[in-house]
């Protein structure tokens, strides 16, 4: 994905050069908290003033708000706004970590699994994880330079998406999935003892405005949109999360392919990552290894201790001792 480990490292070096060439300095966290609000606002001026266009070059980015009802106007920051304001449509796991903040694992809106390619049967396994509160660390994209604390946050999010897949595989009850998921269940009249797979189907069935922006489309193995067919959605969800041969793959899109201005790790249950994704998605474990290796390389190495110098007087004493020993042995 995204090439070999050396290629990924080279690409990350290129992005670091572009990021650091900006006149705006500071960490991703510092910049995000400074320029990203919790409410609806056009983002084009802040985006350009802070020279984010140096690294985020995709023509898919929607910077200014599209027309629509207040609270529902789409742009590149909608994923963040929905999460921080408690409006995530399909939450799977909600975790609050003291000192770090809140995180949400969700099924994305739009078209989950779109980039897996036509006819792929794992589209119902598509999850993403993001930061969901204004505290701790946050990043725009994890291929860009990060502080040690931001890398720790990246690793935590990778662990959370593993946790969410574990919940779905064993069909844990809603009560195990966090406060936001339980609140969503209560709103929809679902008991907290219900399994998370069944609740996922219910949340999809109750999505409003599936034809809007971002909307919701879920295609089955015949590439047919079944988002409004509850029985077919249930069959897809059951099939993918009970298939023991599938493994969790955690990926992100690099900045030039990214259209959402907050880091969001994608997770899928797959045998292998499809060839059609390998040009635009990168394996998160490769990214994490490169970052940790760089941290170790940048740590100051302890200087070797010098050999103790022998005092001249000590050398003379040693020589006299040798002579005395020799005389004694001859007598």
């Amino acid at each position: 994905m995204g090439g070999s480990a050396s290629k990924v490292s080279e690409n990350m070096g290129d992005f670091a050069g572009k990021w650091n060439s900006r006149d705006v300095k500071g960490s991703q966290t510092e910049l995000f908290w400074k320029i990203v609000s919790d409410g609806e606002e056009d983002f084009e001026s802040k985006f350009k003033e802070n020279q984010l266009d140096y690294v985020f070059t995709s023509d898919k980015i929607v910077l200014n708000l599209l027309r629509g009802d207040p609270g529902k106007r789409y742009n590149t920051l909608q994923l963040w706004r929905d999460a921080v304001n408690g409006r995530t449509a399909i939450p799977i796991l909600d975790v609050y970590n003291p000192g770090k903040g809140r995180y949400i694992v969700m099924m994305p809106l739009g078209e989950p699994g779109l980039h897996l390619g036509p006819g792929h049967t794992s589209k119902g396994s598509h999850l993403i994880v993001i930061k969901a509160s204004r505290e701790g660390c946050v990043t725009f994209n994890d291929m860009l330079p990060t502080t040690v604390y931001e890398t720790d946050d990246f690793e935590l999010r990778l662990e959370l998406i593993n946790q969410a897949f574990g919940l779905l595989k064993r069909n844990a009850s809603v009560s195990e999935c966090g406060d936001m998921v339980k609140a969503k269940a209560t709103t929809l009249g679902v008991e907290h003892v219900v399994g998370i797979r069944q609740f996922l189907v219910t949340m999809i069935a109750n999505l409003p405005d599936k034809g809007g922006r971002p909307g919701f489309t879920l295609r089955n193995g015949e590439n047919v949109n079944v988002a409004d067919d509850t029985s077919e959605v249930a069959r897809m969800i059951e099939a993918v999360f009970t298939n023991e041969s599938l493994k969790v793959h955690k990926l992100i899109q690099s900045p030039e392919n990214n259209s959402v201005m907050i880091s969001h790790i994608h997770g899928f249950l797959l045998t292998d990552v499809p060839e059609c994704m390998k040009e635009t998605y990168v394996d998160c474990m490769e990214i994490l290894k490169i970052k940790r290796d760089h941290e170790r390389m940048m740590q100051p190495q302890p200087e070797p201790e010098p050999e103790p110098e022998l005092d001249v007087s000590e050398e003379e004493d040693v020589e006299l001792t040798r002579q005395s020993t020799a005389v004694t042995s001859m007598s």
Side-chain angles (χ1 to χ4, degrees):
M1 279 114 339
S4 64
S6 60
K7 181 64 173 177
V8 173
S9 180
E10 179 182 323
N11 289 341
M12 289 172 66
D14 289 343
F15 292 129
K18 293 174 182 177
W19 176 263
N20 293 328
S21 70
R22 296 158 47 253
D23 298 322
V24 181
K25 305 304 179 185
S27 69
Q28 292 193 60
T29 296
E30 290 167 339
L31 183 60
F32 192 99
W33 294 145
K34 179 181 177 182
I35 69 172
V36 175
S37 70
D38 298 350
E40 287 185 343
E41 67 171 349
D42 291 335
F43 194 59
E44 184 174 9
S45 60
K46 290 181 178 179
F47 182 83
K48 292 183 176 178
E49 286 168 6
N50 291 278
Q51 298 169 320
L52 290 170
D53 53 335
Y54 281 32
V55 288
F56 293 98
T57 56
S58 172
D59 58 8
K60 298 181 296 182
I61 300 177
V62 178
L63 294 171
N64 292 331
L65 295 164
L66 301 179
R67 292 180 180 179
D69 296 331
K72 298 180 180 180
R73 299 178 65 194
Y74 175 85
N75 76 346
T76 184
L77 290 166
Q78 182 168 349
L79 186 63
W80 158 254
R81 287 195 303 271
D82 284 351
V84 76
N85 291 301
R87 297 197 301 261
T88 296
I90 315 177
I92 300 297
L93 174 64
D94 163 44
V95 173
Y96 182 78
N97 189 312
K100 295 183 182 294
R102 185 171 298 281
Y103 303 83
I104 297 176
V105 184
M106 68 188 81
M107 177 174 280
L109 295 175
E111 186 171 339
L114 170 66
H115 295 142
L116 291 172
H120 203 291
T121 57
S122 285
K123 295 187 176 186
S125 73
H126 188 181
L127 302 180
I128 59 175
V129 59
I130 68 165
K131 169 60 70 71
S133 64
R134 189 170 281 276
E135 55 191 315
C137 293
V138 66
T139 49
F140 291 100
N141 187 283
D142 295 300
M143 286 194 77
L144 297 174
T146 49
T147 66
V148 173
Y149 298 110
E150 288 169 346
T151 303
D152 290 344
D153 191 82
F154 178 46
E155 189 166 15
L156 173 60
R157 283 176 278 127
L158 292 171
E159 293 168 359
L160 291 175
I161 209 163
N162 283 339
Q163 186 177 337
F165 277 112
L167 292 168
L168 282 158
K169 283 184 172 184
R170 65 182 177 87
N171 200 23
S173 66
V174 166
S175 63
E176 296 181 59
C177 298
D179 292 342
M180 180 175 286
V181 183
K182 290 187 290 185
K184 185 82 174 181
T186 299
T187 299
L188 294 176
V190 174
E191 296 291 334
H192 295 181
V193 294
V194 169
I196 188 60
R197 292 205 297 263
Q198 285 73 39
F199 185 48
L200 172 56
V201 174
T202 299
M203 286 189 285
I204 292 171
N206 283 274
L207 285 173
D209 195 20
K210 290 176 184 170
R213 182 74 182 263
F216 188 82
T217 297
L218 184 62
R219 297 189 183 277
N220 64 9
E222 287 72 49
N223 209 39
V224 174
N225 179 18
V226 297
D228 288 320
D229 185 339
T230 301
S231 61
E232 181 63 15
V233 170
R235 188 198 66 76
M236 285 180 65
I237 298 301
E238 193 69 16
V240 75
F241 287 109
T242 58
N243 187 340
E244 294 297 328
S245 69
L246 302 178
K247 305 300 179 187
V248 177
H249 290 260
K250 291 160 285 190
L251 314 166
I252 64 170
Q253 289 181 295
S254 54
E256 83 273 25
N257 295 300
N258 197 42
S259 62
V260 176
M261 293 300 294
I262 184 172
S263 177
H264 53 295
I265 299 168
H266 299 263
F268 304 91
L269 287 177
L270 306 168
T271 304
D272 296 295
V273 176
E275 287 296 324
C276 60
M277 292 183 72
K278 292 183 179 180
E279 287 301 313
T280 56
Y281 282 81
V282 184
D283 190 310
C284 288
M285 301 312 294
E286 290 182 15
I287 296 170
L288 181 62
K289 181 179 185 305
I290 290 166
K291 287 181 177 290
R292 293 306 192 197
D293 287 348
H294 180 72
E295 288 172 9
R296 285 188 287 271
M297 184 180 69
M298 296 303 291
Q299 288 177 349
Q301 298 299 315
E303 295 184 5
E305 294 185 7
E307 292 289 335
E309 294 185 5
L310 195 62
D311 189 79
V312 175
S313 61
E314 290 180 358
E315 290 182 354
E316 292 174 350
D317 289 343
V318 169
E319 185 59 32
L320 288 171
T321 302
R322 287 175 182 161
Q323 293 174 5
S324 175
T325 304
V327 169
T328 303
S329 63
M330 290 172 62
S331 59

